[in-house]
Amino acid sequence: MTQAELFEELRKGAVAGAKALLGWKLVHPTSQGRVAGYIVETEAYVQEDPASHTFKGQTTRNASMFEAAGTIYVYFTYGMHYCVNIVTGPKGHGEGVLIRAIQPAEGIEIMKTNRQKTGTQLTNGPAKLVEALGITSALNGQKVGDALLLEPGLKIRTDDIQVATRIGISQGVEELARFYVKGNPYVSRTA
DNA sequence: AGGGAGATTTTCT
DNA sequence: GAAAATCTCCCTA
Protein backbone atom coordinates (compact mmCIF):
# COMPACT_ATOMS: atom_id res chain seq x y z
CA MET A 1 0.00 0.00 0.00
CA THR A 2 1.31 3.44 -0.88
CA GLN A 3 0.98 6.44 1.39
CA ALA A 4 -1.57 7.94 -1.00
CA GLU A 5 -3.62 4.76 -0.69
CA LEU A 6 -3.35 4.86 3.09
CA PHE A 7 -4.73 8.40 3.22
CA GLU A 8 -7.53 7.32 0.90
CA GLU A 9 -8.49 4.67 3.49
CA LEU A 10 -8.30 7.25 6.29
CA ARG A 11 -10.69 9.51 4.43
CA LYS A 12 -13.17 6.63 4.11
CA GLY A 13 -13.57 6.41 7.87
CA ALA A 14 -12.27 5.11 11.20
CA VAL A 15 -12.83 1.38 10.61
CA ALA A 16 -11.16 1.34 7.19
CA GLY A 17 -8.39 3.54 8.58
CA ALA A 18 -7.82 1.33 11.63
CA LYS A 19 -7.24 -1.71 9.44
CA ALA A 20 -5.10 0.14 6.90
CA LEU A 21 -2.81 1.63 9.58
CA LEU A 22 -1.67 -1.78 10.87
CA GLY A 23 1.98 -2.38 9.93
CA TRP A 24 2.74 1.27 9.11
CA LYS A 25 5.72 2.85 10.81
CA LEU A 26 4.89 5.75 13.11
CA VAL A 27 7.89 8.07 13.18
CA HIS A 28 8.59 10.89 15.65
CA PRO A 29 11.63 13.01 14.68
CA THR A 30 13.20 14.42 17.86
CA SER A 31 16.31 16.37 18.75
CA GLN A 32 17.80 13.06 19.91
CA GLY A 33 17.05 11.41 16.55
CA ARG A 34 14.22 9.44 14.99
CA VAL A 35 12.05 7.34 17.27
CA ALA A 36 9.73 4.96 15.44
CA GLY A 37 7.60 1.85 15.75
CA TYR A 38 5.37 -0.36 13.62
CA ILE A 39 1.68 -0.03 14.43
CA VAL A 40 0.36 -3.41 15.63
CA GLU A 41 -2.89 -2.49 17.41
CA THR A 42 -5.59 0.11 16.73
CA GLU A 43 -9.15 0.98 17.72
CA ALA A 44 -11.80 2.80 15.66
CA TYR A 45 -13.93 5.55 17.20
CA VAL A 46 -16.74 7.09 15.19
CA GLN A 47 -18.98 9.96 16.23
CA GLU A 48 -22.07 7.72 16.52
CA ASP A 49 -20.24 5.57 19.10
CA PRO A 50 -21.24 6.23 22.76
CA ALA A 51 -17.65 5.44 23.78
CA SER A 52 -16.18 8.13 21.55
CA HIS A 53 -15.09 11.50 22.89
CA THR A 54 -17.02 13.07 20.01
CA PHE A 55 -20.35 11.33 20.71
CA LYS A 56 -21.84 14.43 22.38
CA GLY A 57 -20.53 16.83 19.79
CA GLN A 58 -17.57 19.12 19.44
CA THR A 59 -15.83 20.63 22.48
CA THR A 60 -12.53 22.42 23.00
CA ARG A 61 -10.98 19.13 24.05
CA ASN A 62 -11.89 17.04 21.00
CA ALA A 63 -11.84 19.79 18.34
CA SER A 64 -8.99 18.20 16.37
CA MET A 65 -11.04 15.05 15.81
CA PHE A 66 -13.35 17.14 13.67
CA GLU A 67 -10.51 18.16 11.37
CA ALA A 68 -9.71 16.44 8.06
CA ALA A 69 -8.24 12.91 7.87
CA GLY A 70 -4.57 12.84 8.78
CA THR A 71 -4.79 15.28 11.70
CA ILE A 72 -3.24 14.21 15.01
CA TYR A 73 -5.40 14.11 18.15
CA VAL A 74 -3.56 13.86 21.46
CA TYR A 75 -5.67 13.77 24.61
CA PHE A 76 -4.95 13.70 28.31
CA THR A 77 -6.71 11.22 30.59
CA TYR A 78 -6.69 9.65 34.05
CA GLY A 79 -4.77 12.63 35.38
CA MET A 80 -1.44 11.34 34.10
CA HIS A 81 -1.57 9.79 30.63
CA TYR A 82 -1.61 10.91 27.02
CA CYS A 83 -2.89 8.87 24.06
CA VAL A 84 -2.62 9.54 20.33
CA ASN A 85 -5.13 9.19 17.49
CA ILE A 86 -5.03 9.58 13.74
CA VAL A 87 -8.14 11.52 12.69
CA THR A 88 -10.23 9.97 9.89
CA GLY A 89 -13.24 10.90 7.78
CA PRO A 90 -14.19 14.29 6.32
CA LYS A 91 -13.66 17.61 8.09
CA GLY A 92 -16.60 18.32 10.40
CA HIS A 93 -17.11 14.67 11.34
CA GLY A 94 -15.59 13.66 14.70
CA GLU A 95 -13.87 10.32 14.27
CA GLY A 96 -10.44 8.77 14.45
CA VAL A 97 -8.23 5.78 15.17
CA LEU A 98 -6.59 5.26 18.58
CA ILE A 99 -3.07 3.84 18.32
CA ARG A 100 -2.98 1.19 21.06
CA ALA A 101 0.38 -0.53 20.51
CA ILE A 102 3.52 -0.39 18.35
CA GLN A 103 6.58 -2.59 17.85
CA PRO A 104 9.82 -0.58 18.35
CA ALA A 105 11.72 -0.01 15.08
CA GLU A 106 14.11 2.94 15.52
CA GLY A 107 15.54 4.87 18.46
CA ILE A 108 15.04 2.05 20.94
CA GLU A 109 17.66 3.51 23.28
CA ILE A 110 15.67 6.74 23.41
CA MET A 111 12.53 4.75 24.23
CA LYS A 112 14.30 3.04 27.12
CA THR A 113 15.34 6.44 28.47
CA ASN A 114 11.81 7.81 28.14
CA ARG A 115 10.15 4.79 29.69
CA GLN A 116 12.68 3.39 32.17
CA LYS A 117 11.52 -0.03 30.97
CA THR A 118 12.59 -2.66 28.42
CA GLY A 119 11.08 -5.26 26.08
CA THR A 120 7.38 -5.34 25.43
CA GLN A 121 6.82 -2.96 28.35
CA LEU A 122 8.22 -0.22 26.12
CA THR A 123 5.21 0.20 23.83
CA ASN A 124 2.43 -2.35 24.52
CA GLY A 125 -0.26 0.17 25.46
CA PRO A 126 -1.65 3.51 24.25
CA ALA A 127 -0.12 5.66 26.99
CA LYS A 128 3.13 3.67 26.95
CA LEU A 129 3.89 4.19 23.27
CA VAL A 130 3.17 7.90 23.59
CA GLU A 131 5.72 8.17 26.37
CA ALA A 132 8.24 5.98 24.51
CA LEU A 133 8.01 8.11 21.35
CA GLY A 134 8.18 11.34 23.33
CA ILE A 135 4.85 12.57 21.96
CA THR A 136 3.32 15.53 23.83
CA SER A 137 0.13 17.56 23.66
CA ALA A 138 2.03 20.01 21.45
CA LEU A 139 1.30 17.64 18.53
CA ASN A 140 -2.46 17.92 19.04
CA GLY A 141 -4.10 19.41 15.95
CA GLN A 142 -1.03 19.08 13.72
CA LYS A 143 -1.03 17.08 10.48
CA VAL A 144 0.76 13.78 9.84
CA GLY A 145 3.80 14.53 7.69
CA ASP A 146 5.63 17.10 9.81
CA ALA A 147 6.02 16.58 13.58
CA LEU A 148 4.86 13.00 13.16
CA LEU A 149 5.29 10.81 10.07
CA LEU A 150 3.76 7.64 8.66
CA GLU A 151 6.11 5.52 6.53
CA PRO A 152 5.69 2.08 4.92
CA GLY A 153 6.62 -0.64 7.39
CA LEU A 154 5.58 -4.26 7.84
CA LYS A 155 3.47 -6.15 5.31
CA ILE A 156 0.37 -7.35 7.13
CA ARG A 157 -1.71 -10.04 5.46
CA THR A 158 -5.48 -9.76 5.83
CA ASP A 159 -5.42 -13.19 7.48
CA ASP A 160 -3.14 -11.86 10.20
CA ILE A 161 -5.52 -9.09 11.28
CA GLN A 162 -7.55 -10.05 14.34
CA VAL A 163 -10.80 -8.23 15.15
CA ALA A 164 -11.86 -7.92 18.79
CA THR A 165 -13.83 -5.88 21.29
CA ARG A 166 -12.28 -2.72 22.65
CA ILE A 167 -10.53 -2.15 25.95
CA GLY A 168 -10.88 0.32 28.79
CA ILE A 169 -14.26 1.78 27.95
CA SER A 170 -17.61 1.50 29.73
CA GLN A 171 -20.03 2.03 26.86
CA GLY A 172 -20.26 0.41 23.45
CA VAL A 173 -18.12 -2.41 24.82
CA GLU A 174 -19.47 -4.97 22.40
CA GLU A 175 -18.45 -3.03 19.32
CA LEU A 176 -15.93 -4.98 17.29
CA ALA A 177 -13.71 -1.99 16.63
CA ARG A 178 -10.27 -3.12 17.83
CA PHE A 179 -7.80 -4.49 15.31
CA TYR A 180 -4.41 -6.06 15.95
CA VAL A 181 -1.70 -8.18 14.34
CA LYS A 182 -2.08 -11.83 15.33
CA GLY A 183 0.70 -13.20 17.48
CA ASN A 184 2.60 -9.93 17.85
CA PRO A 185 4.11 -9.74 21.36
CA TYR A 186 3.57 -5.98 21.60
CA VAL A 187 -0.23 -6.19 21.37
CA SER A 188 -1.64 -5.00 24.72
CA ARG A 189 -4.01 -7.91 25.16
CA THR A 190 -4.96 -10.85 22.94
CA ALA A 191 -8.48 -12.23 22.66
C1' DA B 1 -0.09 -15.30 37.29
C1' DG B 2 -3.81 -12.57 38.26
C1' DG B 3 -6.68 -9.18 40.52
C1' DG B 4 -7.50 -4.85 42.88
C1' DA B 5 -6.64 -0.23 44.24
C1' DG B 6 -4.18 4.18 43.92
C1' DA B 7 -2.21 7.92 41.28
C1' DT B 8 -3.61 12.67 39.65
C1' DT B 9 -5.78 16.49 36.84
C1' DT B 10 -8.41 17.90 32.88
C1' DT B 11 -12.88 18.22 31.18
C1' DC B 12 -17.60 18.35 31.18
C1' DT B 13 -22.13 18.18 33.96
C1' DG C 1 -18.18 17.01 41.71
C1' DA C 2 -17.62 12.81 39.05
C1' DA C 3 -15.67 10.28 35.46
C1' DA C 4 -12.02 9.30 32.44
C1' DA C 5 -10.17 5.49 25.18
C1' DT C 6 -4.55 3.91 31.56
C1' DC C 7 -0.50 2.24 34.05
C1' DT C 8 1.95 0.53 37.93
C1' DC C 9 2.58 -1.37 42.19
C1' DC C 10 1.43 -4.52 45.77
C1' DC C 11 -1.16 -8.19 47.40
C1' DT C 12 -2.78 -12.99 47.40
C1' DA C 13 -2.58 -17.74 45.53
Side-chain angles (χ1 to χ4, degrees), chain A residues 12-185:
Chain A
K12 284 183 188 172
V15 174
K19 285 188 269 196
L21 279 167
L22 290 175
W24 279 78
K25 183 157 67 175
L26 188 64
V27 185
H28 185 213
T30 72
S31 57
Q32 309 287 307
R34 280 161 52 101
V35 191
Y38 303 112
I39 297 171
V40 296
E41 184 179 2
T42 60
E43 276 181 7
Y45 284 91
V46 297
Q47 190 167 351
E48 295 76 15
D49 182 345
S52 172
H53 288 169
T54 58
F55 180 62
K56 292 172 186 164
Q58 185 168 350
T59 65
T60 50
R61 180 199 197 192
N62 63 28
S64 34
M65 282 192 92
F66 288 82
E67 289 300 315
T71 301
I72 299 160
Y73 171 49
V74 179
Y75 69 87
F76 184 80
T77 192
Y78 291 108
M80 50 194 338
H81 295 299
Y82 289 96
C83 298
V84 65
N85 294 246
I86 306 297
V87 176
T88 62
K91 184 176 173 65
H93 198 246
E95 61 174 69
V97 177
L98 171 67
I99 310 300
R100 286 199 57 86
I102 64 175
Q103 173 181 330
E106 297 180 39
I108 294 177
E109 291 306 314
I110 299 173
M111 291 188 188
K112 287 179 182 171
T113 301
N114 288 343
R115 290 274 303 137
Q116 297 294 311
K117 300 275 180 187
T118 56
T120 57
Q121 293 302 308
L122 240 28
T123 56
N124 67 338
K128 297 180 190 179
L129 71 91
V130 164
E131 187 177 17
L133 289 176
I135 291 173
T136 69
S137 59
L139 294 187
N140 186 38
Q142 297 200 40
K143 296 285 189 294
V144 168
D146 183 18
L148 202 59
L149 313 173
L150 282 171
E151 298 178 359
L154 305 174
K155 291 285 184 188
I156 308 296
R157 292 183 301 131
T158 308
D159 289 348
D160 288 331
I161 297 178
Q162 181 71 48
V163 182
T165 54
R166 289 174 301 180
I167 292 177
I169 55 174
S170 52
Q171 298 180 75
V173 175
E174 287 123 44
E175 301 271 337
L176 291 174
R178 184 164 75 99
F179 305 92
Y180 63 85
V181 179
K182 279 183 192 172
N184 190 290

